[in-house]
Amino acid sequence: MTTTPGTSAVPEQQNAQRPAAAPHSTLRRRLAELRGGPGVPPRPLDARALAALASNPGCRRRALLDGAGVDKNALASALGAPTAFGQSQFAFVRGNAFEARVKADGGAELVRLLCGRSGDAAPESSDEVAVPDLAADGPAGRAARTGLALEEASAAGRWTVLDHPMLTLDVAGSAVYLEPDAVAVHPDGGLTVVEIKSFPILDGSADPAKVGAAARQAAVYALALERAAGVRRGHGAPPAPEDSSGVRPEALLVCPKDFSNLPAAALVDVRRQVASTRRQLTRLARLDEIAGAVPEGTTFALSLPADALRDAVASVPASYAPECLAGCELAFHCRSAAREQGAVTALGRGARAELGSLATVESVLAAAGGPQGNGRGGGAPDEPAAVALRRAARLRAEAADEEAGTCR
């Protein structure tokens, strides 16, 4: 339901006298080479991809592929490990129809749904709700028009609905354009992110997993909206928490009620998701650092033979975890590689954290079988993880002996 035109690349500066343009232009050329050449259009990032990226900030592979605009779904198919991400055509059409139904009266229905949950006074007619035109040339032009509309809406002191505004967010040194379903501007200048989803609210509750995913997406939009609100105030920083004209801590989630096409709404607290996403995005390594560590001449062009493409992907370190299966197109490929290497990351982040420097299943089994181990993947004999493994193996052996004695 949310379309995200734009590009993740930083616009190239045209003024040769400005020295700051050179690093950005160099990075842009490098990312284009990784993508397969300037003739290959970059695949834009969206809030869903950013939420998945922020959930695994240690994965340099995903950061580089997303930053370069590589089509990871096509890349996974070329590697022989395709995934089935995305909505079905039926769900897509149904979602667009529901969104159009919600916005059919010029945003008044959205405002009424929001007021019904927030306790604010609802407008009596659609004439009391402004819906400014945000059309402009290109994503940069639309982002500038959105900033102007935010400033005008704040000064107007009335309800305003921004339909598909364009926001920007800096991710690992690259500008990303984002397009939420809507943003509601309160009469006091407060801002509420609106997420319109096609999954139903049944008897007042919805699928927790889908609500959680929507909250993570809304958190990404809230971060971008904070930046836009800061720019509109002239200092580029988010407003103070006590400022009523800042981004509200709750996003409005609008879904079909039961099995009808009537809208139902709920306010979802996204403060935890915003804090987590901000922290994780801050931890992401810069794209120029990741790209600089990749061997010269490496490219992810889909025209390459499968073996060459597999080597190119392997040249960028990954941080696989089973959670990747829910949000990354390359998850099946990375899982196969982790299993071939016997990496304990395939067992989950919890197990990986408990095992310390024991990085492979082979080293774990060796540590459990004796005090020396085989040294592969690290792990001193007196390391707590190794000691715990030997104790667990001893208890298991004792239990097996007792069971065998009972059977006899």
Side-chain angles (χ1 to χ4, degrees), residues 55-56 319-325 334-335 338-339 342-356 358-361 364:
S55 68
N56 190 8
S319 179
Y320 172 77
E323 293 82 356
C324 296
L325 295 171
C334 295
R335 181 180 65 177
R339 287 176 174 176
V344 297
T345 54
L347 304 177
R349 292 183 181 134
R352 178 69 189 90
E354 293 289 340
L355 292 172
L358 301 173
T360 65
V361 174
V364 170

Side-chain angles (χ1 to χ4, degrees), residues 287-365:
L287 286 180
D288 52 359
E289 297 175 2
I290 303 176
V294 176
E296 194 67 29
T298 298
T299 178
F300 306 110
L302 300 178
S303 58
L304 289 176
D307 291 342
L309 199 57
R310 192 173 292 107
D311 291 341
V313 171
S315 68
V316 187
S319 179
Y320 172 77
E323 293 82 356
C324 296
L325 295 171
C328 182
E329 295 86 341
L330 285 178
F332 289 167
H333 171 77
C334 295
R335 181 180 65 177
S336 297
R339 287 176 174 176
E340 289 176 3
Q341 299 165 5
V344 297
T345 54
L347 304 177
R349 292 183 181 134
R352 178 69 189 90
E354 293 289 340
L355 292 172
S357 62
L358 301 173
T360 65
V361 174
E362 184 179 352
S363 63
V364 170
L365 294 176

Side-chain angles (χ1 to χ4, degrees), residues 108-120 122 159-161 183-186 190-194 248 250-254 265-267:
E109 178 70 14
L110 271 179
V111 173
R112 282 192 288 268
L113 289 169
L114 176 56
C115 292
R117 290 298 179 179
S118 66
D120 296 327
W159 284 104
T160 302
V161 173
V183 170
V185 184
H186 299 243
L191 306 170
T192 296
V193 174
V194 179
R248 298 295 173 92
E250 296 177 318
L252 183 70
L253 177 61
V254 182
L267 285 174

Side-chain angles (χ1 to χ4, degrees), residues 21-77:
H24 293 296
S25 299
T26 301
L27 176 61
R28 186 180 183 184
R29 286 194 296 270
R30 178 61 172 142
L31 295 180
E33 292 171 359
L34 291 170
R35 195 168 55 245
V40 180
R43 185 178 182 85
L45 282 171
D46 57 15
R48 183 174 301 176
L50 280 179
L53 180 61
S55 68
N56 190 8
C59 187
R60 299 169 73 87
R61 180 178 297 172
R62 170 150 197 167
L64 182 61
L65 293 174
D66 281 345
V70 176
D71 187 342
K72 296 196 302 300
N73 197 27
L75 180 60
S77 297

Side-chain angles (χ1 to χ4, degrees), residues 19 39 111 131 144 151 173 407:
V111 173
V131 183
E151 184 176 354
C407 293

